[in-house]
């Protein structure tokens, strides 16, 4: 069942969203050669706790860390560890924070030092596809209008959208109805209503859309070994323009 949030609940989600956005910004600023993915996880954990919040991902369905850090051909759910980031890597960070009974969820992919032009184009197109999609995150549109716009933009730029993993509703639970695919035909799915809160998150592969699940049970990689990127914000449907609940003031990343 899709839940519509009251004005009070939306205020609580804004609070969770600001902490989550700040945690993503912290992780982004740590993406440098020589830093381990575990160091990013530890810093995000400490920051979220310092804000009086709880990392949404820690122990979620058994996940062992506070942030997902996915490098190069890892699409999502990379587990932080001893891996040292190298010049030329691209690094996806996905974070969530829980406070006041509500979650925020956001992600982004960032260059580690100097990266190839094609890697930067993948990062840029992934982020731009999110904004193409949320042009339709308006009251009266259909959910699949967002999905179709993301897919059209990604594929027009020569990349592929992941099919097996999708965005989702969010609120009191990290994952709520409805699912928000990054592909499909417009004009389908539930009609968007003010008070809906959804996590829109394009996951984009430089090569084919095919994926591989790693033996750790979490990490998902591209099947062809090519790079992948991820961009996500928690989005509120309003009476007008959508509101991004996980974007720090003056920033889109």
């Amino acid at each position: 069942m899709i839940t519509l949030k009251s004005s009070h609940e939306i205020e609580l989600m804004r609070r969770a969203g600001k902490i989550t956005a700040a945690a993503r910004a912290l992780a982004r600023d740590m993406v440098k050669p020589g830093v381990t993915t575990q160091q990013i996880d530890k810093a995000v954990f400490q920051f979220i706790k310092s804000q009086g919040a709880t990392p949404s991902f820690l122990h979620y369905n058994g996940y062992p860390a506070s942030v997902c850090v996915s490098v190069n051909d890892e699409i999502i759910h990379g587990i932080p560890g001893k891996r040292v980031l190298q010049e030329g890597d691209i690094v996806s960070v996905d974070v969530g924070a829980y406070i006041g009974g509500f979650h925020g969820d956001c992600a982004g992919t960032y260059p580690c030092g100097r990266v190839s032009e094609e890697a930067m184009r993948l990062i840029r197109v992934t982020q731009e596809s999110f904004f193409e999609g949320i042009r339709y995150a308006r009251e009266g549109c259909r959910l699949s209008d967002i999905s179709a716009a993301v897919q059209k933009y990604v594929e027009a730029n020569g990349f592929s959208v992941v099919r097996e993993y999708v965005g989702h509703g969010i609120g009191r639970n990290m994952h709520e109805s409805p699912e928000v695919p990054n592909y499909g035909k417009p004009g389908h799915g539930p009609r968007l209503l003010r008070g809906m809160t959804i996590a829109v998150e394009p996951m984009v592969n430089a090569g084919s859309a095919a994926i591989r699940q790693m033996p750790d049970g979490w990490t998902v990689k591209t099947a062809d070994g090519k790079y992948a990127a991820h961009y996500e914000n928690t989005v509120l449907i309003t009476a007008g323009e959508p509101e991004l609940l996980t974007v720090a003031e003056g920033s889109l990343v």
Side-chain angles (χ1 to χ4, degrees):
M1 186 177 76
I2 298 172
T3 61
L4 303 181
K5 311 307 189 289
S6 68
S7 57
H8 174 64
E9 290 171 328
I10 290 166
E11 278 303 315
L12 293 172
M13 289 198 67
R14 287 191 181 108
R15 182 183 177 201
K18 283 180 180 176
I19 295 169
T20 309
R24 175 177 58 182
L26 170 64
R28 174 198 66 204
D29 292 346
M30 290 185 71
V31 173
K32 293 182 173 67
V35 174
T36 69
T37 57
Q38 200 164 47
Q39 286 173 312
I40 294 173
D41 180 66
K42 184 177 180 181
V44 168
F45 171 82
Q46 291 174 339
F47 171 76
I48 291 174
K49 296 295 282 186
S50 77
Q51 301 300 303
T54 302
S56 298
F57 298 173
L58 187 59
H59 308 311
Y60 183 77
N61 292 334
Y63 186 72
S66 300
V67 58
C68 300
V69 186
S70 307
V71 183
N72 296 337
D73 63 336
E74 296 173 348
I75 305 167
I76 49 170
H77 301 163
I79 300 173
K82 295 179 181 178
R83 181 172 187 162
V84 179
L85 299 180
Q86 308 289 329
E87 184 96 12
D89 287 343
I90 67 169
V91 183
S92 299
V93 293
D94 190 355
V95 298
Y98 177 77
I99 190 170
F102 288 88
H103 293 272
D105 187 10
C106 63
T109 302
Y110 307 107
C112 185
R114 293 177 63 87
V115 305
S116 70
E117 286 185 20
E118 184 68 356
M120 277 307 301
R121 194 171 79 85
L122 174 66
I123 291 171
R124 188 183 72 250
V125 166
T126 301
Q127 184 170 326
E128 288 169 351
S129 75
F130 167 89
F131 288 98
E132 287 295 312
I134 66 162
R135 289 169 55 199
Y136 300 93
R138 303 177 68 96
E139 189 169 37
C141 290
R142 295 280 188 182
L143 186 70
S144 74
D145 296 342
I146 298 173
S147 309
V150 170
Q151 180 184 11
K152 181 179 179 181
Y153 191 80
V154 167
E155 293 179 352
N157 280 278
F159 299 134
S160 304
V161 292
V162 170
R163 305 298 181 100
E164 290 84 354
Y165 294 88
V166 297
H168 50 91
I170 183 171
R172 292 189 181 276
N173 297 302
M174 168 59 63
H175 293 99
E176 299 182 349
S177 293
E179 291 192 340
V180 187
N182 295 302
Y183 64 94
K185 297 184 184 303
H188 295 274
R191 201 171 289 283
L192 302 178
L193 301 172
R194 74 184 76 175
M196 286 176 63
T197 46
I198 55 176
V200 178
E201 51 177 319
M203 289 155 271
V204 179
N205 294 351
S208 84
I211 67 167
R212 288 188 298 146
Q213 180 76 56
M214 294 296 99
D216 64 19
W218 285 103
T219 309
V220 179
K221 291 188 176 187
T222 60
D224 56 16
K226 294 186 178 180
Y227 282 7
H230 185 195
Y231 187 75
E232 173 186 25
N233 283 303
T234 301
V235 180
L236 168 68
I237 307 301
T238 74
E241 293 290 324
E243 179 182 343
L244 304 187
L245 301 180
T246 47
V247 171
E249 291 182 17
S251 170
L252 291 180
V253 295

